[in-house]
């Protein structure tokens, strides 16, 4: 029998050499939106989320909520969620494999319904991101856990208060634990929590729902409620999208102004850009301008760390910039063990990069040249787009599925700034 199934893939075709100029509005944060969307499972009251980016990961989250029985009304920039009629507790494999954040349904489902069945997570191929820290919190609270046929089965009679110190700083582990414990009326304490802006945005939502959460340093004290309410909340701007556009403006020797940003979330990125020679002007609390005086890019030494350190999600974009720096840069990845997959693709464009262990040594070259390159994960895709913007000739970035998971209309925003970027769909 002949297989007539067709597959579609999308690519970006980029003509390099254009200086980006103009204004660009930064979308709501992907990494803040996803846990907030899952938090709606904690209540039978209506929830309204504003400035939600139109992204593949958001669509997958909405699909999961609907599959569980929630009613979701989606507009271009907002979500209205009513989870009062949830009648399933299973996050299926085909969704969890698409998007690791699906595991964030585990805490809310277990807290509210005392049971959850969630497939083992998938997502970007950037390393082993175990969920043992999530499970240890649930287990301490009295959950019975077993793994069968690729699914995690959790059951619980009553939520016991928890005092737990995370063995490693984990963003999704912190978020899952916070949502889960927000339905425990007795005091719980979590230590060594993640304090990323996205985590703090979720905490703000949980407070609106009725949980009492105090944060001191990396310690959270939680007194929850067995009956959480609904909320209305505007998602914080995406600091990684903002950082990506800041790098793009400087790399292309352009002049762009970002609107709808949280400057206080961009500290380490701004400092490294200034160190590289970028001119940065802060225009109030929600706008920032970046431009270049035409000088050479200065080499950098970068080491990724948990917030407020340099974000791992900006490592690949800065590597693209360092490919054109005047000298040697070194970039050490401390968060994920497999996040240099973009190196091979950048080398196809003429980059001079050598990896030793967790450190990439980048010698700046005079120019990059256009090539056909392939996306491997979300931020790697962004780094290849940035390289294409400054490369000589035409660059084709294939398989941009991951890019669409995390950047809202990136090609359209770049075109509005003067870039020559075209999206192409192919059928195989």
């Amino acid at each position: 029998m002949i297989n007539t199934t067709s597959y579609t893939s999308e690519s970006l075709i980029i003509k390099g050499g254009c200086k980006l100029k103009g204004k660009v509005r930064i979308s709501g944060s992907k990494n803040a939106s996803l846990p907030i969307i899952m938090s709606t499972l904690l209540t039978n009251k209506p929830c309204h989320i504003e400035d939600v980016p139109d992204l593949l990961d958001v669509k997958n989250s909405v699909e999961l909520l609907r599959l569980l029985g929630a009613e979701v009304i989606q507009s271009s920039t907002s979500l209205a969620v009513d989870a009062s009629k949830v009648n399933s507790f299973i996050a299926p494999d085909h969704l969890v494999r698409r998007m690791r954040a699906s595991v964030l349904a585990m805490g809310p489902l277990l807290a509210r319904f005392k049971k959850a069945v969630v497939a083992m997570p998938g997502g970007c191929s950037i390393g082993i991101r175990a969920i043992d820290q999530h499970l240890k919190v649930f287990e301490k609270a009295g959950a019975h856990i077993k793994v069968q046929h690729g699914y995690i089965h959790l059951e619980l009679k009553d939520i016991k208060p928890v005092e737990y110190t995370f063995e490693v700083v984990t963003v999704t582990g912190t978020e899952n634990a916070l949502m889960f414990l927000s339905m425990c009326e007795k005091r719980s304490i979590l230590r060594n929590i993640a304090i990323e802006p996205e985590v703090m945005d979720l905490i703000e939502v949980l407070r609106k729902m009725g949980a009492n959460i105090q944060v001191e340093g990396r310690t959270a004290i939680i007194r929850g409620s067995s009956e959480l309410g609904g909320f209305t909340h505007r998602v914080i701007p995406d600091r990684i999208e903002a950082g990506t556009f800041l790098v793009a403006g400087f790399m292309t020797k352009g002049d762009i102004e970002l609107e709808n940003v949280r400057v206080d979330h961009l500290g380490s990125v701004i400092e490294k850009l200034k160190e590289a020679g970028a001119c940065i002007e802060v225009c109030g609390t929600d706008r920032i301008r970046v431009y270049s005086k035409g000088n050479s890019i200065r080499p950098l030494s970068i080491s990724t760390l948990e917030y407020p350190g340099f974000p791992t999600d900006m490592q690949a974009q800065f590597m693209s910039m360092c490919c054109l720096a005047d000298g040697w840069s070194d970039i050490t990845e401390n968060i994920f063990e497999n996040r240099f997959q973009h190196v091979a693709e950048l080398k196809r464009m003429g980059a001079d990069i050598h990896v030793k262990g967790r450190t990439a040594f980048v010698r700046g070259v005079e120019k990059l040249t256009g090539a056909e390159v392939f996306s491997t994960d979300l931020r790697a895709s962004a780094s290849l787009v940035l390289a294409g913007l400054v490369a000589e000739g035409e660059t084709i970035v294939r398989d941009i599925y991951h890019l669409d998971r995390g950047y809202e209309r990136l090609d359209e925003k770049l075109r509005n700034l003067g870039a020559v970027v075209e999206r192409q769909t192919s059928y195989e």
Side-chain angles (χ1 to χ4, degrees):
M1 181 180 291
I2 298 174
N3 185 356
T4 58
T5 304
S6 63
Y7 300 92
T8 62
S9 63
E10 293 195 311
S11 307
L12 288 186
I13 302 174
I14 306 166
K15 183 177 179 181
C18 297
K19 297 180 179 181
L20 300 187
K21 293 185 178 181
K23 295 182 179 181
V24 59
R25 185 188 186 278
I26 300 303
S27 301
S29 167
K30 173 187 87 83
N31 289 337
S33 294
L34 302 183
I36 291 172
I37 290 170
M38 295 303 170
S39 75
T40 63
L41 293 169
L42 289 165
T43 179
N44 59 8
K45 304 298 183 184
C47 302
H48 188 75
I49 314 169
E50 299 172 352
D51 209 12
V52 180
D54 183 17
L55 299 171
L56 191 54
D57 273 7
V58 170
K59 293 174 182 175
N60 287 333
S61 297
V62 169
E63 184 179 344
L64 176 56
L65 288 187
R66 288 174 173 158
L67 193 66
L68 295 173
E71 180 181 330
V72 185
I73 299 174
Q74 186 173 13
S75 73
S76 59
T77 59
S78 67
L79 290 178
V81 182
D82 181 348
S84 62
K85 296 180 181 178
V86 167
N87 54 16
S88 173
F89 321 106
I90 302 173
D93 180 74
H94 74 277
L95 277 178
V96 180
R97 280 187 179 275
R98 282 188 225 161
M99 182 188 64
R100 175 183 167 79
S102 299
V103 300
L104 290 171
M106 190 184 298
L109 287 175
L110 185 60
R112 182 174 163 199
F113 301 104
K114 305 300 183 286
K115 62 176 68 175
V117 180
V118 179
M120 295 293 285
C124 284
S125 56
I126 60 176
I128 300 169
R129 297 191 280 181
I131 61 169
D132 62 308
Q133 296 298 295
H134 308 228
L135 300 181
K136 287 180 179 179
V137 174
F138 302 148
E139 197 167 39
K140 271 185 166 290
H144 176 69
I145 302 169
K146 61 181 179 180
V147 179
Q148 287 183 329
H149 308 297
Y151 282 80
I152 305 164
H153 297 251
L154 304 99
E155 288 192 16
L156 181 72
K157 288 186 177 179
D158 294 297
I159 305 176
K160 300 175 185 176
V162 169
E163 187 167 340
Y164 182 72
T165 300
F166 287 103
E167 296 164 17
V168 294
V169 177
T170 162
V171 171
T172 55
T174 298
E175 292 167 340
N176 233 340
L178 287 168
M179 287 189 285
F180 174 69
L181 294 173
S182 288
M183 292 199 75
C184 178
E185 294 180 335
K186 296 183 180 179
R187 188 182 76 158
S188 293
I189 301 175
L190 296 174
R191 296 186 177 90
N192 199 31
I193 65 168
I195 55 172
E196 272 71 3
E198 298 78 17
V199 175
M200 303 309 293
D201 208 31
L202 173 64
I203 288 174
E204 183 62 26
V205 167
L206 295 173
R207 287 170 175 161
K208 289 179 178 180
M209 297 177 80
N212 185 333
I213 303 175
Q214 301 173 22
V215 178
E216 297 178 5
R218 289 195 179 271
T219 298
I221 302 171
I222 309 107
R223 287 186 183 273
S225 168
S226 59
E227 294 290 337
L228 293 174
F231 64 86
T232 297
H233 184 76
R234 179 175 293 278
V235 175
I236 57 172
D238 196 307
R239 63 191 173 103
I240 305 303
E241 183 190 3
T244 302
F245 273 101
L246 288 174
V247 173
F250 176 52
M251 275 183 72
T252 62
K253 300 187 185 301
D255 186 345
I256 64 176
E257 183 178 309
L258 281 59
E259 300 174 331
N260 189 44
V261 298
R262 282 283 298 268
V263 176
D264 57 324
H265 293 167
L266 295 167
S268 59
V269 170
I270 290 172
E271 288 306 311
K272 282 298 176 183
L273 277 168
K274 287 180 176 178
E275 191 178 327
C279 298
I280 304 285
E281 288 183 8
V282 175
C283 314
T285 58
D286 64 349
R287 291 185 300 125
I288 188 169
R289 176 190 174 203
V290 60
Y291 62 96
S292 168
K293 291 184 177 179
N295 299 331
S296 298
I297 298 171
R298 293 196 287 267
L300 298 172
S301 181
I302 293 173
S303 184
T304 64
L305 292 170
E306 295 87 0
Y307 188 85
F310 188 88
T312 179
D313 280 354
M314 285 301 305
Q315 175 257 110
Q317 298 92 311
F318 268 76
M319 185 179 292
S320 290
M321 183 181 74
C322 289
C323 287
L324 296 175
D326 185 15
W328 283 92
S329 298
D330 58 273
I331 302 174
T332 301
E333 175 54 59
N334 295 304
I335 308 300
F336 297 119
E337 72 280 359
N338 194 26
R339 208 165 198 182
F340 283 147
Q341 295 180 71
H342 47 284
V343 168
E345 301 305 303
L346 288 172
K347 290 172 80 168
R348 290 167 64 90
M349 301 179 71
D352 187 351
I353 308 171
H354 305 275
V355 177
K356 186 175 182 180
R358 285 182 171 266
T359 301
F361 298 93
V362 186
R363 183 180 69 86
V365 295
E366 185 177 339
K367 66 179 180 180
L368 297 174
T369 55
E372 183 178 9
V373 291
F374 291 82
S375 302
T376 54
D377 63 71
L378 170 53
R379 306 308 172 184
S381 304
S383 76
L384 299 177
V385 171
L386 295 183
L389 291 173
V390 296
E392 181 180 84
E394 184 177 90
T395 297
I396 303 175
V397 183
R398 299 286 189 195
D399 299 338
I400 57 170
Y401 159 82
H402 285 296
L403 193 73
D404 290 337
R405 285 182 47 232
Y407 289 92
E408 184 178 36
R409 303 189 308 276
L410 179 63
D411 48 330
E412 178 185 323
K413 290 182 178 182
L414 288 172
R415 280 195 297 273
N416 289 338
L417 294 172
V420 181
V421 183
E422 177 186 350
R423 181 178 289 253
Q424 183 180 80
T425 303
S426 59
Y427 299 90
E428 300 174 3

